[in-house]
């Protein structure tokens, strides 16, 4: 159904509403007698509570002698005044309700109980715990009664004559020798049924009239909506179409650069599959993650928008389309038959323009390096272009063109071999920790060790982590390595005095089973304050909250934390303090060039100063010569780690 306001539906609404009103009126009318009874009972309860409260209040005033009992004040006694008040109320209320204080043993004939009231008195004598009596059997009125029992306060005047107040003793010869809890009468309330019926019926008529008026108002509204429905449907359809177009645009357009996205590229490749030639160039920004981490994501976004603008304005390929792919990649797809050589020349020229462009970031001039993969293989255009791009990055070349020789057979074979080695190592417990010393540059002693994973095969061959870690992560075997390292490192250092560190990745941190495993190990370790967990940077900051929570939970055991490879990801300056870490490990890429590269020195010195201001300790990795050692010592680094201090070994040299 295209119309939101369908006329049949609109015309059906008042019919449904009319049926509901009729059902409601019928139910309300049939329920009227029940409402009358409940209304009468509730009214009587309120009057009874008020009258008894009035009676108790004035009794107390006489008993505690706030009002002295004299000839003038006796008329205020409830026994005297209640009858007069009840009589005046009975004469003046709109429902003709009568209220009386009656008894089967009275001095005043006006207060003698009638037949219905005698039933109430007998009821209370037979049911001493009853709070009220209610009878709706009488044709003319509802009978309600509350018991008037002798309470302790009543005995002040009505127990023994000799103990009664002097004025009572002198004035009255009777009304003595009352017993506690004796039923002396009832407060009788009679509510005429006719009056209650008239009151509720008037209310019923009022509500019914309101429903009818509401029905007609609804009906008139439906007529109006019916007349306007055509116009409204048309306007709504136009708005829906507009929103659909906007939604479609967001689905196929990159929000940041406003360029077509990967989804649009896939669609365009399908639509142009009939052409004789098609060429696709994938462009990737080298080390863009470092720019994001060092300058912040806002600056990274500005660079992406600038590159998008350059590609659009400088693209030399006629009838080619520019796309923004996820992360830091762009694509150029030829929409017109063109020779491969000419397409390549134009892309090379475009890359050259980008390489020469000066990007100003936070008052610093930086240059962007692009890696590019090009393919003209129509059957698997995106896959083959990506293979060429990965080869360009691996070979450190600006551009690689796909050909059949660029296949991944060799890599697949190597991955298969690595999985076999890794599974064998896990099965036969061949994953072992090697320990690299960490030197305290302040007191010139080795204080700590980092536990580094190695596979030691049965023939003694040692396999370093870079050969199997990537395979372990992709094959879901990584957690086995962490568990093995935790078990063996904890056992090794249990009786030793050194602090030791173990690497954890985000894979470990977000895994619930691994979290429980670590906590159980810490509970059993005698000195968990000697344990340092190094957070490996292999994920983006999207898991920042998970890392923060994990650190908080583990620190309860006294453990310390270090950020490895400071300068990327979790090592972002704006977050590192919030993570509540203890050590910053300066990235090896900075430390290894510190003696020869000015930029590395400046950045390293800034990190040391930053850490010192926050009260954090710094560890410089990859220190391999005396020049780097002395330079770092002068900068104020706290710890040194690297081959200059010692290589990772399967054992350590104990202190004397």
């Amino acid at each position: 159904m295209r119309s939101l306001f369908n006329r049949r539906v609109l015309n059906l609404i008042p019919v449904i509403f009319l049926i509901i009103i009729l059902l409601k009126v019928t139910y309300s009318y049939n329920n009227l007698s029940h409402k009358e009874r409940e209304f009468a009972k509730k009214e009587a309860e309120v009057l009874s509570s008020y009258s008894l409260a009035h009676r108790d209040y004035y009794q107390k005033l006489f008993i505690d002698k706030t009002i002295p009992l004299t000839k003038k004040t006796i008329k205020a006694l409830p026994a005297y005044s209640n009858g007069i008040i009840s009589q005046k109320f009975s004469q003046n209320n709109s429902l003709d309700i009568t209220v009386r204080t009656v008894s089967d043993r009275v001095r005043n004939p006006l207060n003698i109980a009638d037949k219905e009231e005698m039933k109430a008195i007998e009821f209370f004598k037979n049911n001493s715990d009853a709070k009220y009596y209610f009878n709706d059997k009488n044709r003319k009125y509802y009978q309600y009664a509350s018991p008037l029992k002798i309470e302790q306060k009543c005995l002040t005047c009505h127990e023994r004559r000799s103990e009664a107040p002097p004025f009572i003793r002198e004035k009255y010869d009777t009304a003595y020798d009352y017993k506690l809890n004796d039923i002396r009468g009832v407060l009788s309330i009679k509510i005429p049924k006719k009056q209650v019926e008239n009151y509720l019926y008037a209310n019923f008529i009022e509500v019914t009239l309101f429903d009818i008026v509401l029905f007609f108002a609804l009906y008139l509204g439906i007529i109006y909506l019916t007349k306007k429905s055509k116009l409204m449907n048309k306007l709504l359809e136009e708005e829906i179409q507009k929103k659909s177009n906007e939604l479609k645009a967001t689905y196929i357009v990159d929000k940041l650069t406003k360029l077509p996205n990967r989804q649009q590229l896939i669609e365009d490749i399908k639509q142009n599959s009939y052409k004789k030639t098609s060429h696709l160039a994938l462009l990737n920004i080298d080390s863009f993650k470092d720019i994001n981490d060092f300058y912040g994501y806002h600056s990274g976004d500005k660079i992406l928008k600038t590159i998008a603008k350059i590609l659009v304005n400088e693209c030399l390929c006629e009838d080619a389309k520019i796309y923004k792919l996820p992360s830091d990649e762009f694509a150029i797809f030829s929409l017109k038959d063109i020779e491969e050589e000419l397409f390549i020349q134009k892309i090379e020229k475009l890359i050259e323009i980008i390489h020469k462009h000066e990007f100003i970031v936070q008052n610093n001039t930086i240059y962007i390096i692009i890696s590019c993969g090009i393919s003209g293989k129509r059957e698997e255009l995106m896959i083959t272009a990506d293979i060429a791009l990965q080869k360009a990055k691996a070979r450190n070349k600006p551009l690689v063109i796909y050909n059949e020789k660029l296949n991944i057979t060799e890599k697949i074979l190597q991955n298969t071999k690595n999985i076999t080695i890794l599974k064998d190592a896990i099965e036969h417990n061949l994953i072992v920790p090697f320990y690299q010393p960490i030197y305290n540059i302040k007191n010139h002693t080795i204080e700590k060790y980092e536990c580094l994973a190695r596979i030691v095969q049965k023939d003694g061959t040692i396999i370093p982590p870079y050969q199997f870690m990537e395979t372990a992560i992709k094959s879901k075997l990584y957690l086995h390595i962490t568990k093995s390292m935790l078990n063996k490192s904890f056992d090794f250092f249990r009786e030793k005095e050194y602090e030791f560190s173990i690497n954890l990745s985000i894979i470990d941190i977000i895994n619930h089973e691994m979290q429980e495993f670590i906590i159980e190990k810490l509970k059993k370790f005698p000195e968990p304050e000697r344990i340092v967990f190094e957070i490996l940077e292999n994920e983006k900051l999207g898991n920042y909250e998970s890392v923060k929570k994990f650190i908080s939970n583990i620190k309860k055991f006294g453990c310390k934390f270090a950020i490895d490879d400071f300068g990327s990801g979790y090592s972002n300056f704006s977050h590192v303090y919030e993570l509540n870490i203890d050590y910053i490990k300066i990235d090896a890429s900075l430390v290894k060039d510190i003696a020869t590269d000015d930029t590395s020195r400046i950045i390293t010195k800034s990190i040391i100063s930053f850490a010192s201001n926050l009260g954090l300790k710094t560890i410089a990795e990859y220190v391999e010569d005396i020049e780097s050692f002395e330079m770092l010592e002068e900068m104020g680094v706290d710890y040194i780690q690297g081959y200059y201090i010692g290589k990772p070994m399967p054992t350590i040299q104990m202190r004397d």
Side-chain angles (χ1 to χ4, degrees):
M1 182 186 296
R2 295 183 62 191
S3 299
L4 180 64
F5 293 101
N6 184 277
R7 290 192 174 192
R8 289 185 180 180
V9 175
L10 290 173
N11 290 329
L12 188 61
I13 291 175
V15 176
I16 295 172
F17 197 80
L18 180 61
I19 293 171
I20 292 171
I21 289 176
L22 291 174
L23 290 173
K24 180 184 175 186
V25 170
T26 303
Y27 174 78
S28 298
Y29 184 80
N30 292 334
N31 200 37
L32 206 56
S33 61
H34 176 71
K35 286 186 176 179
E36 287 177 14
R37 184 181 186 280
E38 291 302 312
F39 175 80
K41 182 180 175 184
K42 189 60 66 177
E43 285 287 306
E45 287 175 347
V46 172
L47 286 173
S48 175
S49 298
Y50 180 78
S51 179
L52 293 175
H54 172 270
R55 184 185 187 93
D56 290 343
Y57 177 73
Y58 276 93
Q59 279 181 336
K60 186 175 185 302
L61 292 178
F62 280 101
I63 290 171
D64 61 16
K65 299 181 181 179
T66 303
I67 300 177
L69 191 57
T70 66
K71 183 178 180 180
K72 290 183 179 181
T73 62
I74 194 167
K75 291 183 179 181
L77 273 173
Y80 189 96
S81 62
N82 270 12
I84 298 171
I85 295 171
S86 297
Q87 184 179 12
K88 289 187 176 183
F89 172 80
S90 301
Q91 292 170 351
N92 294 304
N93 71 84
S94 60
L95 292 178
D96 295 335
I97 300 172
T98 60
V99 180
R100 295 201 312 149
T101 302
V102 299
S103 176
D104 57 345
R105 294 172 285 175
V106 296
R107 297 188 302 276
N108 188 344
L110 295 176
N111 295 336
I112 189 166
D114 62 19
K115 182 179 178 182
E116 292 296 331
E117 291 163 341
M118 284 299 296
K119 290 180 181 178
I121 293 171
E122 289 300 318
F123 172 79
F124 288 121
K125 287 181 178 179
N126 295 326
N127 300 274
S128 58
D129 293 332
K131 302 296 182 184
Y132 69 90
Y133 170 84
F134 185 76
N135 185 4
D136 61 354
K137 304 303 181 185
N138 192 288
R139 187 169 54 86
K140 295 182 178 180
Y141 55 81
Y142 295 100
Q143 174 68 62
Y144 182 92
S146 299
L148 299 175
K149 291 184 179 181
I150 298 300
E151 301 176 5
Q152 190 63 44
K153 59 187 177 182
C154 303
L155 299 179
T156 303
C157 297
H158 298 291
E159 189 172 13
R160 286 184 289 275
R161 183 179 181 183
S162 59
E163 296 178 4
F167 181 83
I168 296 294
R169 193 167 60 244
E170 294 168 3
K171 186 75 175 176
Y172 299 99
D173 295 328
T174 58
Y176 298 109
D177 299 320
Y178 286 7
K179 305 298 182 196
L180 191 65
N181 292 323
D182 188 17
I183 300 294
R184 299 298 301 176
V186 296
L187 177 66
S188 171
I189 299 173
K190 293 181 179 179
I191 302 178
K193 288 186 174 180
K194 188 65 176 176
Q195 296 294 89
V196 174
E197 181 182 336
N198 291 341
Y199 173 77
L200 291 180
Y201 186 74
N203 181 259
F204 167 75
I205 295 298
E206 181 181 333
V207 172
T208 302
L209 287 174
F210 176 80
D211 287 343
I212 292 171
V213 171
L214 184 63
F215 165 73
F216 279 110
L218 175 67
Y219 185 70
L220 292 174
I222 294 299
I223 292 174
Y224 174 79
L225 284 176
T226 303
K227 290 180 178 180
K228 296 292 183 180
S229 63
K230 274 192 175 182
L231 177 61
M232 294 179 71
N233 284 327
K234 183 178 179 181
L235 293 173
L236 284 169
E237 285 175 4
E238 290 175 356
E239 187 65 21
I240 290 170
Q241 185 62 45
K242 179 182 175 183
K243 294 296 181 184
S244 297
N245 292 338
E246 290 177 0
L247 184 62
K248 183 179 179 182
T250 61
Y251 180 64
I252 60 173
V253 174
D254 176 68
K255 290 182 180 180
L256 179 66
T257 62
K258 308 305 179 187
L259 290 174
N261 62 12
R262 185 177 185 274
Q263 190 63 36
Q264 184 63 60
L265 173 59
I266 294 171
E267 186 65 28
D268 288 346
I269 290 174
K270 286 181 181 178
Q271 290 180 2
N272 288 273
S273 60
Y274 67 92
K275 293 183 178 178
K276 292 181 180 180
T277 61
S278 292
H279 302 285
L280 176 65
L282 296 181
L283 293 80
N284 180 267
I285 305 171
D286 290 355
S287 303
F288 185 70
K289 187 174 183 296
D290 294 339
I291 296 172
N292 268 338
D293 293 333
F294 196 78
Y295 293 105
Y297 289 97
H298 179 70
S299 297
D301 288 346
K302 286 179 66 177
I303 290 173
L304 290 173
K305 289 198 285 187
T306 302
I307 293 176
K309 188 175 180 180
I310 293 171
L311 290 174
V312 171
N313 294 338
E314 303 293 340
C315 184
L316 304 176
C317 302
E318 295 180 3
D319 294 325
K321 196 169 180 179
I322 315 296
Y323 304 82
K324 171 64 178 68
L325 306 188
S327 188
D328 54 352
E329 284 193 9
F330 293 84
I332 301 175
F333 176 59
S334 65
L335 300 176
K336 182 180 178 182
D337 289 337
I338 184 175
E339 292 296 327
E340 183 180 55
E341 186 176 344
L342 181 59
F343 182 81
I344 294 169
Q345 289 175 2
K346 292 177 182 291
I347 296 299
E348 286 176 336
K349 184 66 176 176
L350 189 59
I351 293 173
E352 184 181 348
I353 293 171
I354 296 174
H355 285 176
K356 290 180 179 180
H357 186 85
E358 294 182 351
F359 293 84
I360 307 300
V361 181
Q362 298 178 13
N363 298 322
N364 296 313
T365 300
I366 66 172
Y367 292 92
I368 297 299
I369 302 299
I370 296 289
S371 295
C372 177
I374 295 177
S375 175
K377 186 177 174 60
R378 289 190 304 158
E379 294 79 8
E380 298 175 320
L381 197 58
M382 288 191 69
I383 295 174
T384 52
D386 186 64
I387 291 172
L389 173 62
Q390 298 309 317
K391 287 295 181 182
K393 294 178 75 69
R395 296 174 181 178
N396 201 24
K397 289 185 175 182
L399 188 146
V400 168
I401 300 145
Y402 177 82
N403 57 55
E404 296 299 331
K405 293 181 180 179
L406 289 179
N407 57 60
I408 55 173
T409 305
E410 184 180 340
K411 187 173 182 179
I412 292 172
L413 290 173
Q414 184 60 47
N415 285 341
T416 304
K417 181 181 178 182
N418 287 343
I419 290 174
T420 303
I421 292 172
L422 189 57
K423 285 185 175 180
D424 183 69
I426 292 170
E427 183 180 353
H428 295 95
N429 197 25
L430 302 178
I431 298 170
V432 298
F434 274 41
Y435 312 103
Q436 186 170 29
I438 301 174
Y439 180 80
N440 187 325
I441 208 166
K442 309 293 185 183
N443 59 23
H444 308 292
T445 59
I446 292 173
E447 288 187 353
K448 318 172 190 297
Y449 283 88
E450 180 180 0
C451 305
L452 300 165
R454 300 287 189 270
I455 292 177
V456 180
Q457 293 184 301
K458 296 174 183 177
D459 62 359
T461 303
I462 299 173
I463 302 176
Y466 70 83
Q467 290 188 17
F468 61 83
M469 278 299 183
E470 183 180 355
T471 302
I473 292 169
K474 290 180 178 179
S475 61
K476 313 298 183 185
L477 297 172
Y478 181 80
L479 295 177
H480 293 283
I481 297 174
T482 304
K483 284 186 177 181
S484 180
M485 288 294 292
L486 286 167
N487 284 328
K488 294 181 180 180
S489 299
F490 275 42
D491 289 343
F492 184 81
F493 283 100
R494 180 176 295 275
E495 304 298 332
K496 297 175 178 62
E497 59 182 333
Y498 293 100
E499 191 174 273
F500 62 100
S501 60
I502 300 174
N503 294 314
L504 293 180
S505 77
I506 191 65
I507 298 172
D508 301 308
I509 291 172
I510 65 175
N511 184 277
H512 182 69
E513 181 186 345
M514 180 58 72
Q515 290 179 21
E516 291 184 346
F517 180 82
I518 292 171
I519 288 171
E520 287 302 313
K521 295 293 294 182
L522 291 174
K523 286 178 180 178
K524 298 175 183 178
F525 195 77
E527 297 175 278
E529 62 273 12
R530 288 196 288 114
I531 301 170
V532 179
F533 290 107
E534 293 190 19
I535 300 178
L536 295 172
E537 174 47 44
N538 55 11
E539 295 287 337
K540 293 186 179 179
L541 201 58
N543 292 293
Y544 169 70
E545 287 300 328
S546 299
V547 176
K548 186 176 177 181
K549 184 178 179 181
F550 175 79
I551 291 175
S552 176
N553 290 336
I554 299 302
K555 276 218 164 193
K556 295 174 184 177
F557 293 90
C559 302
K560 302 180 185 70
F561 278 85
I563 294 293
D564 202 8
D565 300 333
F566 189 83
S568 61
Y570 298 118
S571 52
N572 187 294
F573 281 92
S574 62
H575 294 300
V576 68
Y577 186 70
E578 277 192 73
L579 288 177
N580 191 22
I581 62 166
D582 304 278
Y583 301 104
I584 286 177
K585 300 194 76 173
I586 303 170
D587 187 23
S589 64
L590 296 172
V591 177
K592 68 184 180 65
D593 296 326
I594 198 170
T596 57
D597 183 69
D598 290 339
T599 302
S600 296
R601 281 197 295 274
I602 292 169
I603 295 173
T604 302
K605 192 170 183 179
S606 298
I607 292 172
I608 294 170
S609 176
F610 164 75
S612 178
N613 289 334
L614 293 181
L616 307 176
K617 300 294 185 183
T618 48
I619 303 172
E621 301 182 282
Y622 213 86
V623 179
E624 298 190 339
D625 52 64
I626 185 64
E627 290 83 7
S628 299
F629 180 93
E630 291 175 348
M631 194 170 290
L632 288 163
E633 184 177 24
E634 185 179 341
M635 290 179 182
V637 77
D638 297 293
Y639 296 93
I640 295 291
Q641 181 180 353
Y643 280 18
Y644 182 73
I645 303 300
K647 295 181 180 181
M649 300 295 288
T651 186
I652 65 172
Q653 184 176 353
M654 295 297 293
R655 294 175 185 152
D656 294 333

